[in-house]
Amino acid sequence: MDRLLLRSSPFGAETGALPIGEFEPGEEASARAWDALMGEDCKILVIGAGGLGCELLKDLALSGCRDITVIDVDTIDLSNLNRQFLFRMKDVGRPKAVVAAEFIEKRVPGCKVAAHHAKIQDFDGEFYSQFSVVVSGLDNVEARRWMNSMLCSLAEIDDDGNVIDPDTIIPFVDGGTEGFKGHARVILPRHTSCFECSLDLFPPQRVFPMCTIADTPRLPEHCISYAHLLQWPQAFPDKKLDKDDPEHMKWIHERAQERAEQHQIPDVTYMLTVGVVKNVIPAVASTNAVVSAACALEVVKLVTYAGHVLNTYLMYNGVTGVYGSTMALERRADCVVCGAPRRTFRVPAATTLRAFIADHLGGAALKIRKPSVTHPSRVLFMQAPPALRAQTEPNLDLPLSELCADGDELTVTDPAWGQGTALGAVIKFS
Amino acid sequence: MADGMDSNKYDRQLRLWGANGQRALMTSHILLITAGPTGTETLKNLVLPGVGRFTIMDAAKVQERDLGNNFFVTEEHLGRPRAEVTCELLLELNPDVNGDFRVADVASVIEEEPQYFSTFNLVIATQLAAGPLAKLAEICWDSHTPLLVCRSYGLICYVRTQLRDHCIVESKPESDQSELRIAAPWPELEAHCSAVDLAKLDSKEHSHTPYVVLMFQAIAAWKAQHGGQLPASFEEKRKFQQTIKDMARDFDNEINFQEASEHYYKAYTLPCVPEEIQALLAEAQAHDLTPQSSSFRVLLRALADFVAQEGGGLLPLPGDIPDMTSDTDSFVALQALYKAKAARDAAALATHAARHLAALGRPASTIAPDDVALFAKNAHCLLSVTTSALKQELAADASSSAAEGVAEAMEDPAELPAQTPICWYLALRAADRFQAKRGRWPGETAATIALDNQAVWAELQALVKELGVGKGPLGLAHAREVVRAGASEVHCVASVVGGIASQEAVKVVTRQYAPLDNTAVYNGVAGVLGVYKL
């Protein structure tokens, strides 16, 4: 790293598409670039200690980062060992964050790794604002949305949405993989496209229509879903299916096989059963390595300015040959999280609040599932606590014209966005 | 699972390459040359999924500077052979894997034991200087040994594959591979589809008749009204699509008819042998089989016979059908029809293969029935990959196989033209030329930086002139970035190249998925990946 941080470059960050700062190398170890990475003020947060997280921790430690924090809620499973190389057979069952941190500290002397076996939602804005960069290796959209929303809310802005204090911008680097494919991306809150702006990049999970599962099964997956979604709740009304319990999975597999035999549908296997019920995504060491290293290199450039910052999304596909593409994702002016969070909805005055939520907020529209709605003068519908929910539930079946006036702005919140984000919904009666 | 395969530990990867692929991986022996971070990061991603065996060749001893970028050495190993130490720490990752090492200078092994390299399923050469690399590549080319070349240098890295007649049955393309043959049905399919009398069905049956049957009837009706002709012009095709819609009783609520209308073109698209497969078959017929011919070559020859005889100009039917709206019984019946035809075709292929094997004096059991079936099922996407030889790429004039690829890439630059990855490939070639002449890398010491900048820039200009391509966006700045890096091996960059290389390695040894052909360059300065045929 010395040569890259102490010698001047014709391609410092200032010459790139996202000129976040000027590369200041020098012959001394006191040079800004050096200090920014290896000095005391550089604190990196790694979200997830799984396939990507293990790689990220190694990459950052060997890049010279001295102060790393890692958060992961999971414990180690046998099926992790084909790629999560900081874990061994003896570690199965222990918290991922703790084991990963121990290993890195031992292997890379001088690198401090603080471990939190917890959910990201357990920490607040003050906690997150201590970091220079946040980098995530997650396997789900919801956690990314929450983290993105948190970091966007930390960037202090004026009434026009411009950032007042650049120091409050915490870059968010996100990696993800599925089989031989993956992506690395950089989000500069309120400067570049944020995670919410480009939510459509993630296709919805494949679901089978309930009528197919119940009446006209054709695929082994249909039989498995039947056993999982219909037979289990019927047989065990008081017991939740534990997808990690082999006895439970065996039961589902056997029922699915019975149904498949009855309908002469081939190929119900235990492996497929687990895959369908747990929505297993294939994962290999190689893709994790590519994506994590690309992310870690962006972290290094974000703090040292020793190169152009990725603008903004790199996709990798190794299924047929190798294919890569870098593209600048666009910001959405009306993004609920990082834009001017106000949208106008033209709806008939007779629309019920329930229909409004279902058609305009939930589903494909904003992709939120548990919205709460308030009017400047009162709460219209609140998901929790239960008492408030019970009190506001009758409003769901009232027409909007009884709940607000034409042109009123309602406030919509949702757990997917976390605390700092709300949408202003201006209602115009059509 | 059979043969000691741990299906729990390997679950997430078995879902990609299956038991076949895992078995191939677990019986592979891979040679890694040079145990720096580029090498160990590549090997790590092969040990984790359970490669059978590896050998590390490296002459170096662990030094202080290894501690800063290599995850598989520690302070206590200082002074010990790097091959031994990295072998030990890599083996810790997976008890299923065997590994050994050889403390030897690769350049001397290349000179003294060229035959050594052909004992491996794959050779991975990392951070090897241009001179010995050229010789190694020639040895591998001559012995048909797959070779992966990995390089990381400052913020730039690349992977180059060199493959010769590399055969792949399970290429697993991402696009829809189903073949329905509605326009050219075999007798059983024709009988099955014409037996359905749509007019007599109740509304539930009508809305649950699979679209294969609907489209068969639609196209039969069209042909009857158009003198036996299929729809040809754009307008006819549109009209045909409308006839499908008109067949519905309640189009808005009959999903099967909506599906038929969406896939209408499948009704008149005639099946054919793809051009790439035709070329493979022509080649198979042009060469006589020998007792040494691989199973792939024997099956390819048998496939040519099948196409000429039973196939009537077509490949064996793959046999899978996509999911479609249907009641269970209709779908299962249709699926069984396709599967039965696929099984018949595979059996015919097996007969041809057995005849060829017999002529070679080999028993029919040389090729397992499952392998024949797999070959038949994948007949439309078989691959035989031959990349250019590294020697052709490195030719110092316009005859270089790289000339065209470089020129093409320069014409299609990235958003910031100077960051087009091909520029960095050329810049590293310039650094190689510098090294070959001076015996040291540019920028190794700070004192010569200014001079080295100019020297590398001169090499870069000479190189593009030799290749007969323009300078494009190349400039002194590229030389400066290469010199400033001073041949340093940055861990993250090594890890990117290690990831790409290990993925290609898995694809090569499992003989699944199309491999890289032939160079992927990652530009870490700007986060851009380019793939080129050089």
Side-chain angles (χ1 to χ4, degrees):
Chain A
M1 289 305 294
D2 308 19
R3 286 175 185 159
L4 288 172
L5 296 183
L6 302 182
R7 294 175 173 179
S8 70
S9 164
F11 299 113
E14 66 279 7
T15 66
L18 296 171
I20 51 164
E22 193 176 339
F23 181 42
E24 293 173 38
E27 293 303 323
E28 307 273 319
S30 63
R32 198 215 79 90
W34 178 272
D35 189 54
L37 184 66
M38 324 235 180
E40 271 178 18
D41 292 340
C42 178
K43 291 163 79 78
I44 308 293
L45 174 63
V46 176
I47 309 284
L52 292 162
C54 285
E55 290 279 349
L56 285 165
L57 289 169
K58 171 204 67 155
D59 294 340
L60 292 167
L62 287 180
S63 296
C65 296
R66 292 286 155 263
D67 187 343
I68 305 173
T69 300
V70 59
I71 303 177
D72 197 312
V73 71
D74 268 351
T75 52
I76 298 162
D77 181 78
L78 182 61
S79 67
N80 301 147
L81 302 185
N82 79 327
R83 60 199 190 281
Q84 301 177 15
F85 60 94
L86 303 177
F87 312 142
R88 304 286 177 266
M89 202 63 93
K90 65 177 167 49
D91 300 317
V92 169
R94 293 186 64 206
K96 287 184 177 180
V98 174
V99 178
E102 280 172 11
F103 196 105
I104 293 289
E105 288 196 337
K106 198 169 147 229
R107 185 60 69 84
V108 187
C111 181
K112 253 181 28 225
V113 185
H116 297 284
H117 178 212
K119 292 200 302 249
I120 51 172
Q121 291 86 349
D122 294 342
F123 301 92
D124 58 10
E126 201 189 328
F127 172 82
Y128 288 111
S129 58
Q130 65 179 305
F131 297 103
S132 322
V133 179
V134 174
V135 54
S136 69
L138 291 160
D139 60 0
N140 69 87
V141 171
E142 289 314 307
R144 287 188 177 97
R145 277 178 98 172
W146 190 91
M147 199 63 238
N148 173 66
S149 175
M150 166 59 80
L151 294 175
C152 287
S153 75
L154 290 177
E156 288 174 15
I157 49 166
D158 60 22
D159 288 345
D160 298 326
N162 298 314
V163 178
I164 305 168
D165 178 1
D167 286 345
T168 60
I169 297 178
I170 300 172
F172 180 29
V173 182
D174 176 57
T177 70
E178 181 175 347
F180 288 148
K181 300 184 224 177
H183 76 262
R185 69 185 288 183
V186 171
I187 293 168
L188 300 175
R190 299 197 186 266
H191 270 284
T192 67
S193 160
C194 82
F195 190 78
E196 198 81 13
C197 293
S198 49
L199 206 51
D200 293 341
L201 282 177
F202 288 83
Q205 194 186 322
R206 186 179 173 205
V207 285
F208 303 107
M210 200 47 95
C211 56
T212 298
I213 294 171
D215 300 330
T216 57
R218 301 178 294 270
L219 304 182
E221 287 88 343
H222 297 153
C223 302
I224 295 163
S225 295
Y226 184 79
H228 172 206
L229 301 174
L230 297 171
Q231 286 178 289
W232 178 277
Q234 215 167 37
F236 309 102
D238 303 323
K239 196 154 70 172
K240 209 173 155 258
L241 176 77
D242 179 357
K243 297 174 183 177
D244 292 318
D245 184 334
E247 284 303 314
H248 288 196
M249 293 308 286
K250 207 174 131 224
W251 190 91
I252 299 282
H253 178 220
E254 284 165 1
R255 297 296 84 71
Q257 269 185 323
E258 285 165 11
R259 186 163 171 82
E261 259 165 52
Q262 194 185 331
H263 293 283
Q264 296 179 298
I265 295 169
D267 302 331
V268 169
T269 61
Y270 185 74
M271 188 167 169
L272 185 68
T273 303
V274 176
V276 171
V277 173
K278 291 171 87 169
N279 187 32
V280 171
I281 294 163
V284 285
S286 53
T287 319
N288 284 330
V290 176
V291 164
S292 301
C295 286
L297 191 56
E298 293 308 318
V299 173
V300 170
K301 290 188 289 179
L302 281 162
V303 297
T304 64
Y305 310 146
H308 294 177
V309 172
L310 169 63
N311 182 28
T312 55
Y313 185 95
L314 167 71
M315 68 86 87
Y316 182 86
N317 187 340
V319 177
T320 302
V322 170
Y323 176 75
S325 164
T326 300
M327 58 198 123
L329 297 178
E330 302 228 351
R331 252 187 109 175
R332 272 185 76 146
D334 64 350
C335 174
V336 177
V337 170
C338 80
R342 176 177 295 153
R343 291 189 196 186
T344 300
F345 296 90
R346 290 181 194 282
V347 288
T351 311
T352 62
L353 181 57
R354 189 187 300 280
F356 174 69
I357 290 176
D359 298 343
H360 297 280
L361 304 180
L366 286 165
K367 297 186 175 149
I368 52 177
R369 279 180 306 191
K370 292 186 166 178
S372 297
V373 183
T374 34
H375 183 268
S377 64
R378 66 193 175 109
V379 174
L380 297 185
F381 175 65
M382 201 54 91
Q383 298 272 358
L388 192 54
R389 185 185 169 106
Q391 192 193 328
T392 56
E393 217 154 22
N395 287 341
L396 285 174
D397 294 314
L398 294 178
L400 287 177
S401 54
E402 284 184 33
L403 297 169
C404 64
D406 188 35
D408 277 1
E409 181 174 326
L410 309 179
T411 303
V412 179
T413 55
D414 191 276
W417 299 325
Q419 298 251 322
T421 299
L423 169 71
V426 178
I427 304 296
K428 294 266 191 189
F429 294 137
S430 58
Chain B
M1 190 172 280
D3 43 42
M5 197 183 289
D6 192 329
S7 58
N8 283 319
K9 189 164 88 178
Y10 298 129
D11 178 82
R12 297 300 185 269
Q13 67 202 40
L14 285 168
R15 290 170 194 276
L16 285 178
W17 54 72
N20 274 346
Q22 189 65 25
R23 215 168 290 123
L25 183 64
M26 290 171 82
T27 50
S28 295
H29 187 186
I30 291 178
L31 174 68
L32 172 71
I33 296 172
T34 317
T38 305
T40 54
E41 288 303 312
T42 306
L43 201 47
K44 160 180 134 276
N45 305 327
L46 293 167
V47 171
L48 287 165
V51 70
R53 187 173 161 205
F54 68 79
T55 299
I56 298 176
M57 184 183 291
D58 190 309
K61 296 231 167 12
V62 177
Q63 297 176 29
E64 194 83 41
R65 64 167 190 211
D66 291 317
L67 305 180
N69 64 5
N70 197 331
F71 198 66
F72 297 94
V73 299
T74 71
E75 209 169 354
E76 64 183 271
H77 299 119
L78 284 169
R80 278 175 60 194
R82 196 163 64 170
E84 180 188 2
V85 171
T86 52
C87 175
E88 189 181 307
L89 292 197
L90 281 161
L91 282 174
E92 274 181 11
L93 298 177
N94 190 346
D96 301 345
V97 175
N98 295 301
D100 50 40
F101 60 91
R102 195 170 158 182
V103 182
D105 174 31
V106 62
S108 0
V109 180
I110 288 169
E111 294 299 335
E112 289 152 25
E113 306 168 56
Q115 70 289 353
Y116 173 75
F117 299 95
S118 61
T119 59
F120 296 92
N121 299 89
L122 172 68
V123 173
I124 304 176
T126 69
Q127 305 296 78
L128 196 53
L133 176 61
K135 286 184 187 153
L136 175 69
E138 223 176 316
I139 293 169
C140 290
W141 183 259
D142 291 341
S143 63
H144 287 70
T145 307
L147 171 70
L148 278 180
V149 179
C150 310
R151 186 86 189 279
S152 68
Y153 192 114
L155 295 176
I156 312 300
C157 59
Y158 67 77
V159 179
R160 160 58 145 121
T161 52
Q162 182 186 273
L163 301 167
R164 200 172 168 193
D165 301 326
H166 183 71
C167 308
I168 297 159
V169 176
E170 296 177 82
S171 66
K172 302 188 173 175
E174 283 190 283
S175 52
D176 176 17
Q177 297 296 310
S178 61
E179 192 179 306
L180 297 173
R181 297 207 181 160
I182 296 167
W186 64 97
E188 289 84 352
L189 179 66
E190 188 163 5
H192 178 90
C193 292
S194 13
V196 178
D197 187 351
L198 285 172
K200 287 199 181 136
L201 301 180
D202 69 27
S203 63
K204 188 169 180 200
E205 290 163 343
H206 197 263
S207 61
H208 284 82
T209 303
Y211 72 65
V212 170
V213 176
L214 303 179
M215 293 207 291
F216 173 86
Q217 299 206 353
I219 203 71
W222 174 277
K223 280 164 77 176
Q225 288 164 14
H226 293 82
Q229 300 297 309
L230 293 168
S233 67
F234 177 77
E235 201 190 331
E236 283 178 339
K237 289 172 181 174
R238 280 276 164 230
K239 267 192 196 159
F240 172 68
Q241 187 182 21
Q242 190 56 47
T243 66
I244 295 179
K245 291 184 182 173
D246 293 343
M247 280 165 69
R249 289 179 192 164
D250 178 7
F251 186 76
D252 289 340
N253 289 306
E254 292 188 309
I255 301 172
N256 55 334
F257 282 90
Q258 293 169 20
E259 288 171 353
S261 163
E262 186 189 329
H263 298 280
Y264 70 101
Y265 57 91
K266 290 184 184 168
Y268 55 74
T269 307
L270 288 165
C272 63
V273 181
E275 270 175 42
E276 300 81 9
I277 306 299
Q278 283 180 28
L280 278 179
L281 295 179
E283 201 201 313
Q285 282 169 312
H287 294 97
D288 285 337
L289 293 170
T290 68
Q292 286 74 42
S293 292
S294 64
S295 298
F296 186 90
R297 295 288 154 199
V298 173
L299 286 168
L300 206 53
R301 187 58 218 265
L303 185 63
D305 297 340
F306 175 89
V307 172
Q309 297 171 35
E310 297 89 342
L314 294 180
L315 295 168
L317 186 76
D320 286 337
I321 58 172
D323 186 31
M324 59 191 79
T325 295
S326 165
D327 60 274
T328 303
D329 291 345
S330 304
F331 184 83
V332 168
L334 196 63
Q335 194 177 42
L337 207 61
Y338 278 84
K339 290 228 182 279
K341 163 78 171 149
R344 278 201 305 279
D345 287 357
L349 183 68
T351 308
H352 288 297
R355 199 185 63 245
H356 286 294
L357 286 169
L360 298 169
R362 289 156 69 183
S365 61
T366 312
I367 305 175
D370 280 356
D371 291 339
V372 180
L374 195 67
F375 192 92
K377 195 183 179 71
N378 288 285
H380 58 289
C381 59
L382 300 169
L383 288 175
S384 172
V385 180
T386 298
T387 66
S388 67
L390 204 65
K391 191 179 173 182
Q392 292 171 280
E393 177 187 337
L394 299 178
D397 53 48
S399 78
S400 161
S401 60
E404 197 184 323
V406 170
E408 222 169 76
M410 298 275 243
E411 276 166 25
D412 180 25
E415 204 167 292
L416 292 170
Q419 296 304 334
T420 307
I422 197 71
C423 295
W424 295 109
Y425 160 82
L426 294 166
L428 291 199
R429 287 274 305 266
D432 284 341
R433 291 160 69 110
F434 179 104
Q435 193 270 344
K437 283 182 189 162
R438 292 172 175 77
R440 68 169 177 89
W441 293 102
E444 269 191 317
T445 58
T448 59
I449 286 182
L451 281 173
D452 291 358
N453 284 340
Q454 291 304 327
V456 172
W457 176 223
E459 292 293 350
L460 191 49
Q461 293 176 86
L463 172 65
V464 289
K465 204 170 165 195
E466 276 171 23
L467 291 174
V469 298
K471 264 188 282 186
L474 286 171
L476 176 63
H478 291 98
R480 281 179 57 201
E481 182 67 24
V482 162
V483 172
R484 123 187 157 88
S488 54
E489 218 172 330
V490 176
H491 181 82
C492 288
V493 178
S495 193
V496 169
V497 73
I500 300 174
S502 55
Q503 191 155 105
E504 293 312 305
V506 167
K507 286 155 66 178
V508 168
V509 300
T510 59
R511 293 186 180 270
Q512 290 188 15
Y513 301 95
L516 166 69
D517 179 12
N518 54 28
T519 305
V521 185
Y522 176 69
N523 164 11
V525 173
V528 186
L529 182 77
V531 179
Y532 309 106
K533 214 165 180 163
L534 303 176

